[in-house]
Amino acid sequence: MPWRDVLQMAWRNIGQARLRFVLTCLGVLIAISTLVALVSFGAGLRQQTVENLEVREVFTSFQILGPGRAQSFRRFRDPDPDPNTGGSRARPVLDEALVRRVAALDGVVSVQPDIRFAARLEHGDKVHLTRVRGAGPHVAPLSPYSKITDGRFLSGTNGAEIVLTGRVARRLGFEPPGQAVGETIQLLTDRLKPQVTEGDLPFETVRLDFQVVGVLPRLLPNQTNPFFRGVVVPLDEARRLWKENASGMASLSGLTSLEEGRGREYDSVDVRVADLVSLERVREEVRSWGAATFAIVDQMKRIQEAFLVLEVVLGVLGGIAMLVASLGIANVLIISVMERRQVIGIMKAIGGTDRDVRRIFLAEAGLIGFSGGVVGLLAGWTLTRIATVFIDRYFQSHEILNPPDLFAYPLWLVAGAIGFAVGLSLLSGVIPANRASRVDPVQALRQG
């Protein structure tokens, strides 16, 4: 019997028990939609992570770590102890001299010292405690600075300019946040000073006026660097305040540097290079100086493995639902064999073979799996689109710009979902099909 006739007969048999077919397909639909939703969530997380890393150009950048950061990244610490000396090579001081030395290397695009310190902002009767970061105009094309919604970015590395986030602007009384552009706010921070008398405090509060030139939107932490919650001031101005800031001296890097007699050091230095070839060459040169470095490219394999494990776990959870649905398919087909014994007997009596009978029941199982798989895929996609709408509304209510699409549908997921549904349905139909092929036509006709 040709396959065309087998499929036609299988479809006709299914049509004679529409309710049973619909209910069985519904089980497959629920299983596949669950499987698709879970796996697409894992695929979406991986896609968003990799894309955000690419946008941030982390594949062509690395960090030179200060003493505190080097201890935090102990398992990534580089360089290894020098076998010739029996210990680690002398670590260079992360100061302006090192920044200039790195900037002079061939292939280096920019060098940005990590300057952060705590400060208090005031505008009228509004007060907000935040973190200040120094930056220059060269980072304006990079996220998150390229996403300024009002005003502009810093025009230079000097001057009394400041860029706020929307959250900070609201805390200072600006509603909408764009109204802050052009306004003057005060920045208060602590500065070390010599003690003239025994009762003097070793620090004093500095109050500076800054003009707001731009407002950044609120972004997700995984879409940008960790500084988006604070404010940004010109790099040289931030460097001057940072060197005199008392809280920075109490940091892990500050205490370690003072203990080693190195003076004030940066926590880290961000280095951007032209390409991956330059990345390896520049890092090797910096490591030869005795500095510890860290680059996200070193951990990409672990990141990919972590997401692979997540997708496998989510896939197994969805596969359990499909396994339950396959048991329903097997049960329905076994009942169908019992109900159609006489039909099977007549088919065999007029020349049908065991192979023909087996193929008809397997075709029925395959049609159930294919129908449930296709509709389940559409249902899963619809479910994730509805979830995306609610996620977007939630982020928008919290004023977060560009919320990520947490669900992805790569081709392998679409094809794999349908193939998995058909394959497992065929597998569940093997026992009923074999049972049907062993029906004795004489006994079947006699019982009929």
Side-chain angles (χ1 to χ4, degrees):
M1 182 182 296
W3 273 107
R4 180 180 178 181
D5 295 339
V6 170
L7 292 175
Q8 288 179 345
M9 186 170 295
W11 186 253
R12 185 169 59 250
N13 292 336
I14 287 175
Q16 292 175 356
R18 290 187 182 89
L19 181 59
R20 183 185 301 170
F21 170 73
V22 170
L23 293 177
T24 307
C25 284
L26 185 61
V28 178
L29 181 154
I30 295 174
I32 291 299
S33 61
T34 303
L35 174 65
V36 166
L38 291 175
V39 177
S40 67
F41 176 68
L45 285 180
R46 175 164 62 173
Q47 179 176 304
Q48 284 292 323
T49 301
V50 173
E51 286 182 355
N52 286 326
L53 290 176
E54 290 174 346
V55 168
R56 290 171 53 193
E57 299 179 323
V58 296
F59 296 124
T60 55
S61 65
F62 69 95
Q63 287 184 321
I64 305 174
L65 306 178
R69 298 291 299 278
Q71 292 182 32
S72 300
F73 288 91
R74 186 179 298 276
R75 63 180 181 278
F76 308 126
R77 197 166 184 174
D78 199 10
D80 295 327
D82 191 335
N84 297 323
T85 62
S88 298
R89 288 165 284 183
R91 179 179 59 81
V93 180
L94 266 66
D95 55 10
E96 281 304 305
L98 179 74
V99 171
R100 290 191 296 269
R101 188 179 179 186
V102 175
L105 295 176
D106 185 37
V108 173
V109 175
S110 68
V111 183
Q112 169 83 33
D114 182 11
I115 299 177
R116 291 177 290 172
F117 58 91
R120 189 167 72 252
L121 302 179
E122 291 185 0
H123 179 257
D125 60 345
K126 302 294 184 180
V127 180
H128 179 61
L129 182 65
T130 186
R131 294 189 67 83
V132 179
R133 189 196 187 196
H138 65 281
V139 300
L142 305 179
S143 178
Y145 311 118
S146 60
K147 300 182 183 296
I148 284 183
T149 54
D150 298 281
R152 58 172 175 82
F153 195 61
L154 305 173
S155 59
T157 58
N158 287 289
E161 296 181 340
I162 190 169
V163 175
L164 311 178
T165 62
R167 178 173 178 269
V168 173
R170 283 189 169 86
R171 293 292 181 90
L172 294 177
F174 298 106
E175 184 63 47
Q179 291 183 354
V181 176
E183 296 291 330
T184 299
I185 64 173
Q186 291 187 317
L187 184 149
L188 290 80
T189 184
D190 294 330
R191 180 173 64 186
L192 294 174
K193 71 169 187 177
Q195 292 179 274
V196 179
T197 63
E198 185 177 349
D200 282 349
L201 294 175
F203 60 87
E204 62 182 352
T205 300
V206 180
R207 183 183 296 267
L208 301 172
D209 290 336
F210 281 85
Q211 183 181 33
V212 180
V213 296
V215 177
L216 287 165
R218 185 179 179 188
L219 303 172
L220 289 177
N222 69 338
Q223 287 184 307
T224 178
N225 56 45
F227 308 108
F228 74 96
R229 288 193 179 94
V231 300
V232 187
V233 299
L235 184 61
D236 291 340
E237 187 70 20
R239 182 184 289 112
R240 182 179 64 81
L241 294 173
W242 170 80
K243 287 181 179 179
E244 302 172 347
N245 188 261
S247 62
M249 286 294 189
S251 67
L252 178 59
S253 293
L255 292 174
T256 304
S257 299
L258 292 175
E259 183 181 354
E260 296 176 354
R262 294 170 173 267
R264 192 71 185 274
E265 289 190 75
Y266 298 123
D267 286 339
S268 65
V269 176
D270 298 324
V271 182
R272 286 202 306 123
V273 297
D275 48 46
L276 284 173
V277 176
S278 299
L279 178 69
E280 291 303 319
R281 179 172 48 78
V282 173
R283 282 189 72 191
E284 185 62 32
E285 177 68 19
V286 173
R287 283 197 295 259
S288 70
W289 303 343
T293 65
F294 172 77
I296 195 66
V297 293
D298 298 336
Q299 302 305 310
M300 277 307 298
K301 183 177 180 181
R302 294 184 182 181
I303 293 174
Q304 294 284 5
E305 290 175 350
F307 280 111
L308 179 61
V309 171
L310 175 64
E311 291 173 15
V312 170
V313 171
L314 295 176
V316 169
L317 294 177
I320 294 174
M322 186 60 205
L323 181 62
V324 175
S326 67
L327 296 177
I329 295 174
N331 182 58
V332 166
L333 292 177
I334 289 175
I335 294 175
S336 180
V337 170
M338 297 174 61
E339 293 177 345
R340 291 154 53 188
R341 287 179 60 85
Q342 186 177 12
V343 175
I344 296 172
I346 294 174
M347 185 185 304
K348 286 190 172 184
I350 61 177
T353 64
D354 293 349
R355 182 169 176 267
D356 293 333
V357 174
R358 187 182 299 108
R359 288 197 299 173
I360 290 173
F361 278 88
L362 287 176
E364 292 182 22
L367 288 173
I368 293 173
F370 180 78
S371 302
V374 172
V375 180
L377 180 63
L378 295 175
W381 179 85
T382 303
L383 180 65
T384 56
R385 291 305 92 191
I386 294 174
T388 299
V389 171
F390 284 100
I391 292 173
D392 289 348
R393 289 181 178 176
Y394 174 80
F395 284 138
Q396 290 171 7
S397 67
H398 288 72
E399 300 172 0
I400 296 178
L401 187 69
N402 298 329
D405 188 353
L406 299 179
F407 302 95
Y409 288 87
L411 182 60
W412 61 264
L413 176 58
V414 175
I418 298 176
F420 182 66
V422 173
L424 202 55
S425 298
L426 289 174
L427 186 63
S428 63
V430 169
I431 294 178
N434 289 334
R435 185 170 181 175
S437 66
R438 292 195 298 267
V439 171
D440 187 342
V442 176
Q443 293 183 0
L445 293 174
R446 182 181 301 164
Q447 291 176 0

